[in-house]
């Protein structure tokens, strides 16, 4: 007899938590830092002020991303915990009703009532809370909220993203700094969008265009405001 080999499958849902936070952080790091530099440069600031702006934007942005991600994801985690606690209480109070509720879910998914009841019985014996978390609440281990992981991923990726326009600001000629920062930042954003799309199994060109478009819009708006403020002041 031939040995049965398990078909290897590659899924990407286990990357959703950290990938979302990392892409958001890096994108925000590039866009916000580059936009700050372009906006301040459009107001005729000197190179020292531009570097100070970029460094301040990096530090403030990284801390803001970490705090924002932690608070928002922790709120999601609190909601999940509350739902699971409610489910545990309902299972203790009326397990038969919970079993019927689970079976009804399987019927709506296409199982015959008798088979749905058998599946519900077996899953309830194996792990009642886990079965209800997956099939009633839609919760899973791969998509569960991890506040610390999200905060660290966002802060770290923001800092990495912000370092790119910061580095260009440090070495670009003052006379063409806006063009250098804008052009290289758009290139970085397009690369980021393509890599993120690749990691998530999506179309790389669409990912690059999407991120690049919004980055260009942000820098153009900031440059216009900076030029207007510089002219007024």
């Amino acid at each position: 007899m031939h040995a049965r080999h398990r078909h290897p499958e590659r899924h990407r849902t286990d990357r959703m938590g950290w990938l979302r936070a990392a892409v958001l952080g890096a994108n925000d790091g590039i866009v916000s830092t580059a936009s700050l530099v372009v906006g301040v440069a459009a107001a005729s600031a000197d190179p020292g002020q531009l570097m100070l702006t970029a460094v301040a934007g990096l530090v403030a942005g990284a801390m803001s991303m970490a705090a924002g991600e932690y608070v928002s994801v922790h709120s999601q985690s609190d909601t999940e915990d509350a739902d699971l606690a409610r489910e545990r209480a309902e299972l203790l109070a009326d397990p038969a009703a919970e079993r019927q509720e689970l079976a009804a879910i399987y019927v709506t998914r296409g199982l015959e009532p008798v088979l749905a009841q058998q599946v519900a019985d077996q899953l309830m014996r194996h792990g009642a809370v886990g079965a209800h978390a997956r099939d009633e609440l839609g919760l899973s281990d791969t998509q569960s909220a991890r506040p610390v992981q999200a905060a660290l991923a966002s802060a770290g990726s923001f800092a990495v993203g912000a370092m790119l326009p910061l580095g260009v600001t440090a070495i670009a000629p003052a006379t063409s700094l806006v063009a250098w920062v804008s052009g290289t930042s758009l290139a970085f954003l397009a690369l980021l969008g393509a890599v993120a799309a690749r990691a998530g199994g999506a179309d790389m060109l669409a990912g690059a265009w999407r991120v690049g478009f919004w980055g260009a819009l942000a820098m153009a708006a900031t440059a216009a405001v900076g030029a207007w403020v510089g002219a007024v002041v």
Side-chain angles (χ1 to χ4, degrees):
M1 294 179 63
H2 295 287
R4 297 181 64 183
H5 297 286
R6 187 176 179 182
H7 177 63
E9 295 182 347
R10 297 181 60 190
H11 298 288
R12 296 178 171 87
T13 53
D14 59 332
R15 306 176 182 176
M16 289 177 62
W18 66 263
L19 181 60
R20 181 194 65 84
V23 170
L24 176 63
N27 179 81
D28 200 17
I30 297 172
V31 172
S32 60
T33 306
S35 297
L36 280 171
V37 171
V38 169
V40 175
S44 302
D46 59 63
Q49 290 175 319
L50 295 179
M51 285 298 298
L52 180 60
T53 298
V55 172
L58 186 156
V59 176
M63 295 305 298
S64 176
M65 288 293 294
E69 278 292 319
Y70 183 83
V71 170
S72 63
V73 177
H74 209 295
S75 297
Q76 178 186 342
S77 178
D78 290 342
T79 302
E80 292 176 359
D81 291 341
D83 284 342
L84 289 174
R86 187 179 302 112
E87 202 62 42
R88 291 189 185 95
E90 292 173 353
L91 285 166
L92 289 174
D94 195 349
E98 291 299 302
R99 185 177 291 104
Q100 288 302 122
E101 184 179 30
L102 198 60
I105 292 173
Y106 299 142
V107 170
T108 62
R109 293 180 182 177
L111 295 185
E112 295 293 332
V114 174
L115 179 57
Q117 188 65 57
Q118 292 174 349
V119 172
D121 290 342
Q122 291 188 29
L123 289 179
M124 291 276 287
R125 285 196 296 269
H126 179 72
V129 176
H132 281 271
R134 288 189 306 272
D135 297 318
E136 182 182 351
L137 303 178
L139 302 178
S140 66
D141 291 338
T142 59
Q143 298 180 22
S144 61
R146 296 179 176 87
V148 175
Q149 181 191 62
L152 293 176
S154 293
S157 57
F158 183 99
V160 171
M163 286 296 294
L164 299 174
L166 175 61
V168 175
T169 302
I171 63 176
T175 54
S176 56
L177 187 140
V178 171
W180 273 96
V181 172
S182 300
T184 55
S185 295
L186 287 175
F188 295 147
L189 286 169
L191 179 61
L192 172 65
V195 171
R198 173 66 177 173
D203 182 74
M204 295 176 65
L205 183 59
W209 181 89
R210 182 168 54 240
V211 176
F213 170 78
W214 288 105
L217 187 62
M219 283 184 278
T222 311
V225 172
W228 177 76
V229 171
V232 171
V233 175

